[in-house]
Amino acid sequence: MPTSRPPKAPAGVHYRVEPSDVLAHLFRITLTIARPAPGQEVSLPVWIPGSYLVREFSKNLQELRATQGRAAVRLTQLDKHRWQADCTAGAPLVLTYAVCAYDTSVRTAWLDASRGFFNGTSLCLRVHGQEALRHTLEIARTPATAEWSAATGLSALQVDRKGFGLYAAANYDELVDCPVEMGTFWVGRFTACGVPHRFVVAGAAPSFDGKRLLDDARKVCETAIRFWHGEGKPPFKNYLFLLNAVGDGYGGLEHRNSTALICGRRDLPRVGEARASEGYTTLLGLISHEYFHTWNVKRLRPAEFATYDYARENYTGLLWFFEGFTSYYDDLLLRRAGLIDDATYLRLITKTVNQVLQTPGRFVQTVAQASFDAWVKYYRQDENTPNATVSYYTKGSLVALCLDLALRSSGGAGGRASLDEALRMLWTRSRGGPVTEADLRAVLQDLAGRPFDAELDQWVHSTAELPLAELLQAHGVQLKAEAPQWAQRLGLRVSETHSVHIKTVLRGGLAEKAGMVPGDEWLGLEADGQGWRISKLDDVAFYAGTAATVTALVARDGRLLRLALELPGHGPQAAARKPQRSAAKTAKAAKATTTAAAPNTPDTVSLSVSDTAALQRWLG
């Protein structure tokens, strides 16, 4: 089958993308600049908005050449991602190049014989000085992709029945904010609040229940639209979900009228399965999260992101708001949509609380600092990450929880104050555009009738513990200390196969005190004169008995080590009896020693309903 001819009516900046060699994972791109500037400069972004890491996409670009008319044009590389063409004004400048697409994530590009996917930031060179012009993208069919379909959130100009052809974008920002999926995928459609939505699923097993996914996604979307606009319309005319089902994976990236998602194949709903699996509930939470981002970060966004700089890091201290608050609402909207019950919702909150409480880094770094440092810490995690930083996703969601509960207790807005109202007010005041933390503080004060500066200073800009117990109790939920698992009690994060492999040693824990380090293989222990082989952490309690100290037998760098390990208390019951500090005392202690080590036994908690009516007033 011959390669299709370029459709008519390309823009001043036009891209033709061909999946030219699927076995070599190569996309072939032709960029035509109708009116180049003398010495035209082009560059490939170093990062993609929504994923805060410099990823150096230019490392995958090869065979870059340029012509003007029939003459070759010399290209000079200026740095790692910029080139300058020795061209003149007038005649169109044509650049051709290939991009190797090996990344199966939602952030870059992938191509093989069964599927193609790309973000514009990975394939589309930016034409300096012409970013605001209309751009067109032609997705070309090749013999190897004759049976494929294509899907994107871009506006179609001249497209065949399978989605290949010419698309338009108002500018470069829109072009690179609409990913493209290609392959033999499943497609479903639904309407939410009068707006058409498409759902594309690649890699699903035959047991996949597409109807259930569409029904549940529609409920999520309608709940989100009504959250922001009541009976009004959302700020997009259509929406596209791109979901890639794989053997094992999870993740998503938000875009202006679409989202790219990855889930485990077994997490999809199955035909004949009445009860939602834990994996499917997690997938629904991911769908809810990325859809909520359509408002909160794609439009309502940090003032620092008013204009993206694709050449370097774009810093903001507000990811605790944009990612954390979205994380708070993703599961809450599932509850409001009727897709999970109260018990499931409380279990999800419990999981988040425990993730934060079991992170010693919360005593080292504020959640605002964690937001600013995302480029070098959150997205570059290593063995020490839990000791040095806190997640702006998890702690940010707990800040949102605390603000919501505090607002509901404030009596402001005639008893209607809530974080829901605060976000809607922020949307209206900013006209769905860039905001600052000062804007949030002003909205909270107007809504509650008093400033929330003290709360934000303590919860966001200090390492003080959050007053979860008091706020939850006032809304019908009791927070109780529970006996932690052995990993938490020892201060470890491990993987367990035929032995215990140590991934992280938590700061201030018993494992650190014993001298264990990440990468150690814990083979066994000696207690009361006997040696035992262990394959999981639970074996420690089984073989240690009542011993207060054992000798851990550890393999490190080809050597066998014997480490004296103190054991916590005399079993889990001792930890369960440990009195829980009040939130006020915990906050005071944390504030006094913001770099203090975590306690030897990180807190583990559970939530239970103490007042059903109060709970329903919150969740309803």
Side-chain angles (χ1 to χ4, degrees):
M1 176 178 176
T3 302
S4 60
R5 293 183 178 180
K8 296 180 180 180
V13 181
H14 174 70
Y15 303 83
R16 174 182 169 86
V17 173
E18 290 184 50
S20 61
D21 192 337
V22 297
L23 298 182
H25 308 273
L26 289 175
F27 284 104
R28 182 72 56 180
I29 299 94
T30 302
L31 165 59
T32 302
I33 307 168
R35 296 179 179 83
Q40 179 66 62
E41 187 175 325
V42 297
S43 66
L44 198 65
V46 303
W47 70 292
I48 181 170
S51 184
Y52 307 104
L53 177 67
V54 171
R55 297 184 184 276
E56 314 292 18
F57 297 131
S58 61
K59 67 183 179 183
N60 298 313
L61 188 149
Q62 59 192 59
E63 302 173 39
L64 178 62
R65 297 180 178 88
T67 59
Q68 196 168 27
R70 295 185 177 181
V73 172
R74 184 168 63 89
L75 291 168
T76 301
Q77 186 163 357
L78 303 176
D79 57 27
K80 63 184 180 182
H81 73 121
R82 290 188 302 139
W83 293 263
Q84 187 172 44
D86 186 16
C87 63
T88 60
L93 177 66
V94 179
L95 293 93
T96 62
Y97 54 97
V99 170
C100 192
Y102 270 114
D103 189 344
T104 59
S105 78
V106 296
R107 297 177 292 264
T108 54
W110 168 262
L111 181 65
D112 68 0
S114 61
R115 174 180 176 263
F117 171 84
F118 68 87
N119 288 284
T121 45
S122 290
L123 265 64
C124 298
L125 286 167
R126 179 169 61 97
V127 181
H128 291 213
Q130 301 194 30
E131 295 91 341
L133 298 182
R134 180 173 176 265
H135 288 52
T136 52
L137 171 69
E138 180 195 353
I139 307 172
R141 188 188 300 279
T142 64
T145 64
E147 302 304 316
W148 286 13
S149 297
T152 179
L154 289 169
S155 298
L157 291 181
Q158 187 179 338
V159 177
D160 66 22
R161 62 184 180 85
K162 288 196 172 183
F164 285 88
L166 188 67
Y167 293 86
N171 48 46
Y172 184 79
D173 284 341
E174 182 178 350
L175 175 79
V176 300
D177 203 16
C178 296
V180 175
E181 176 77 26
M182 294 180 284
T184 53
F185 45 69
W186 176 91
V187 182
R189 293 176 171 82
F190 63 89
T191 298
C193 298
V195 178
H197 289 61
R198 281 184 298 160
F199 218 120
V200 166
V201 181
S207 60
F208 166 52
D209 187 347
K211 182 180 183 302
R212 181 172 185 181
L213 179 64
L214 293 180
D215 289 344
D216 292 345
R218 176 183 54 78
K219 294 175 184 176
V220 170
C221 295
E222 289 180 341
T223 303
I225 292 171
R226 288 169 181 154
F227 173 93
W228 288 102
H229 305 291
E231 297 303 316
K233 294 294 184 182
F236 48 85
K237 296 180 179 179
N238 52 69
Y239 195 89
L240 172 65
F241 291 96
L242 301 174
L243 174 60
N244 184 29
V246 297
D248 182 24
Y250 174 84
L253 188 62
E254 68 277 359
H255 299 279
R256 64 182 58 201
N257 70 334
S258 65
T259 183
L261 309 167
I262 289 179
C263 77
R265 196 168 288 119
R266 293 181 179 275
D267 293 337
L268 290 171
R270 305 178 195 180
V271 174
E273 186 178 65
R275 186 184 181 92
S277 67
E278 183 177 342
Y280 182 48
T281 299
T282 300
L283 172 59
L284 290 176
L286 177 64
I287 291 169
S288 178
H289 183 98
E290 303 304 338
Y291 195 70
F292 199 83
H293 268 321
T294 311
W295 292 267
N296 194 38
V297 89
K298 295 310 299 182
R299 290 171 174 83
L300 195 70
R301 60 192 185 276
E304 297 90 342
F305 292 176
T307 301
Y308 291 122
D309 184 344
Y310 295 101
R312 57 186 56 83
E313 297 90 343
N314 291 216
Y315 292 99
T316 178
L318 286 174
L319 294 182
W320 59 270
F321 176 85
F322 290 99
E323 290 292 354
F325 282 37
T326 299
S327 297
Y328 172 61
Y329 277 105
D330 54 22
D331 290 331
L332 183 56
L333 292 191
L334 294 187
R335 163 62 182 76
R336 292 179 182 176
L339 294 171
I340 60 175
D341 57 19
D342 293 348
T344 301
Y345 179 64
L346 291 180
R347 282 199 299 272
L348 293 171
I349 292 181
T350 301
K351 180 179 178 180
T352 301
V353 172
N354 283 325
Q355 286 175 334
V356 174
L357 291 181
Q358 293 161 13
T359 301
R362 76 188 193 278
F363 292 122
V364 176
Q365 188 180 53
T366 72
V367 72
Q369 292 169 337
S371 299
F372 197 86
D373 281 342
W375 298 89
V376 295
K377 292 192 176 180
Y378 185 83
Y379 278 89
R380 295 185 184 275
Q381 297 196 17
D382 58 25
E383 300 85 354
N384 190 52
T385 293
N387 296 320
T389 187
V390 66
S391 168
Y392 50 78
Y393 284 93
T394 53
K395 186 171 182 182
S397 71
L398 296 185
V399 170
L401 168 65
C402 289
L403 275 176
D404 194 13
L405 299 183
L407 283 168
R408 291 173 185 273
S409 299
S410 70
R416 294 179 291 103
S418 68
L419 193 58
D420 300 9
E421 291 297 327
L423 291 189
R424 287 190 284 264
M425 287 175 62
L426 199 58
W427 175 271
T428 300
R429 291 189 181 194
S430 69
R431 298 181 180 178
V435 297
T436 65
E437 185 176 325
D439 295 322
L440 174 62
R441 289 176 182 250
V443 163
L444 293 173
Q445 179 167 343
D446 289 351
L447 187 59
R450 68 167 181 85
F452 265 72
D453 294 343
E455 286 87 348
L456 289 177
D457 289 347
Q458 185 179 46
W459 301 346
V460 174
H461 296 283
S462 85
T463 57
E465 298 279 47
L466 300 173
L468 292 167
E470 291 89 337
L471 289 170
L472 286 168
Q473 182 65 45
H475 291 82
V477 177
Q478 185 177 4
L479 185 150
K480 299 185 298 182
E482 296 289 342
Q485 300 295 318
W486 268 94
Q488 281 75 51
R489 301 181 70 203
L490 293 172
L492 286 173
R493 294 184 183 179
V494 304
S495 63
E496 298 173 333
T497 50
H498 299 296
S499 58
V500 178
H501 292 264
I502 298 174
K503 298 167 62 179
T504 299
V505 177
L506 298 179
R507 187 62 39 79
L510 296 173
E512 182 185 64
K513 182 179 178 181
M516 292 182 175
V517 300
D520 283 353
E521 182 182 6
W522 191 353
L523 302 172
L525 62 84
E526 295 174 349
D528 293 332
Q530 301 182 70
W532 303 97
R533 185 80 162 84
I534 66 170
S535 60
K536 53 185 182 298
L537 280 183
D538 287 348
D539 291 343
V540 176
F542 181 73
Y543 291 120
T546 59
T549 303
V550 299
T551 299
L553 307 177
V554 170
R556 182 189 305 164
D557 190 29
R559 296 181 299 159
L560 292 178
L561 305 177
R562 302 174 75 252
L563 305 176
L565 175 67
E566 178 186 346
L567 296 182
H570 296 283
Q573 293 77 15
R577 291 194 299 268
K578 184 183 69 173
Q580 184 186 12
R581 295 179 295 176
S582 71
K585 291 181 179 179
T586 303
K588 182 177 180 181
K591 191 172 183 179
T593 56
T594 56
T595 60
N600 284 349
T601 305
D603 289 320
T604 301
V605 303
S606 66
L607 303 181
S608 61
V609 179
S610 57
D611 185 335
T612 302
L615 176 65
Q616 293 309 312
R617 286 193 294 273
W618 163 30
L619 299 182

